[in-house]
Amino acid sequence: MELSAGRKRTNAAIFIPHLGCPHKCSFCDQNQTTKAQNSVSAKDVYDILESYATSLKQRGLTAQIGFFGGTFTALDWDYREELLSTANQYLRKYPEIFTGIRCSTRPDYINEKVLEQLRHYGVNAVELGVQSMDEDVLELNNRRHSSDDVRKSAELIKSFGFESGLQMMTGLLGDTAEKSLYTADELIKLKPDTARIYPTVILKNTMLGDLYESGKFKTFSLEETIVLCAEIYRRFTENNIKVIRLGLNISSKSNLKNEIIGGNYGLQLGELCIGRYYFNRLLKFMQNSEAKKFHIYADRRNISKINGHKSENKLKLAELGYEFKIEEKQGADLEIEAL
């Protein structure tokens, strides 16, 4: 959830199950991921957004309308226009609630004509599912696009004035920590506004699932994932790229949990990775100081991150002989004062 003009902002999500996808990537069982099998109609969009409008108004929230799930820009032109036209009606009907439209797509399904259509209907953010910038990883996971496709599409999206988002995965077939860090560094060069980091989740009835069950594939362990994603988060953050998602968060109402046979996911994963990022910062500062006690100033939203999941940062630092107390300071990320 993001902040916008003093009000909390979220997404009014509309899932397009597997539609537009030209083929199936190694990790993908999109029908399960989006919890639906049927095409979404303009009437469905109308009903979904009407429901969101009522709920968001009651909760004092604003939202971007988000088309997620399939490859949005690979949909049939007229069908995509039908969906966008309906969404655009809600931008005009509830301008105090809906702040724009975002969509996610593949790097090889972006061109000027498509971007003109998106802009015409009020789309203001486009995310690319990059997954990796390593050519071998892309090939092994049946992505069927190149890293150059990513670079060209990302530049084109920015040239049209869209908010740009890039999504990457860690722990895919053939991936290593070094390759994931290379991917992060290559994405940083493209200067996106936002990023999503998704450690691989292994599902039944996918290529990775079959390889995993046969013992021919395993993804990174939880600890390896935490160490790696904390570093990727640091690199994005220090380059002013906002990480809007870290880890696949699965609703308690979703059937997807029943399909997972391996990998790392869940809200707790993001907390663990971001907590490790703050632990690393704290430890570095403390080790470079002669003091053992510290006063920390941080915005309220960062206090739990600094303490770590179940206060593990505080406990681990105490074991190393360091103590700290936190005082709320609006707008502060992490300010440390030796005592």
Side-chain angles (χ1 to χ4, degrees), residues 2 4 60 64 70 107 119 131 133 182-183 187 221 273 279 315 318:
E2 303 167 34
S4 177
Q64 276 187 314
R119 188 164 61 182
Q131 319 319 357
M133 292 294 277
Y182 168 77
T183 291
L187 298 191
S221 69
C273 295
F279 174 82
L315 295 172

Side-chain angles (χ1 to χ4, degrees), residues 66-136:
F67 288 102
F68 301 120
T71 303
F72 191 70
T73 61
L75 297 174
D76 175 78
W77 181 279
D78 291 338
Y79 173 54
R80 185 171 63 244
E81 191 155 280
E82 184 181 352
L83 299 180
L84 286 170
S85 177
T86 305
N88 181 264
Q89 290 177 36
Y90 275 82
L91 294 185
R92 291 181 280 113
K93 185 176 181 180
Y94 298 107
E96 74 285 4
I97 295 176
F98 295 115
T99 61
I101 303 171
R102 69 188 307 120
C103 66
S104 59
T105 192
R106 289 172 53 93
D108 48 345
Y109 279 81
I110 289 289
N111 57 52
E112 292 186 359
K113 185 178 179 182
V114 165
L115 292 177
E116 286 169 357
Q117 182 195 42
L118 297 183
R119 188 164 61 182
H120 174 75
Y121 284 102
V123 174
N124 53 5
V126 180
E127 296 188 42
L128 294 179
V130 174
Q131 319 319 357
S132 179
M133 292 294 277
D134 181 272
E135 299 297 340
D136 290 337

Side-chain angles (χ1 to χ4, degrees), residues 24 27-34 203-206 259:
K24 195 173 180 181
F27 50 84
C28 183
D29 186 1
Q30 193 65 261
N31 288 328
Q32 283 293 339
T33 303
T34 56
L203 304 177
K204 295 177 185 177
N205 303 315
T206 64
E259 304 300 315

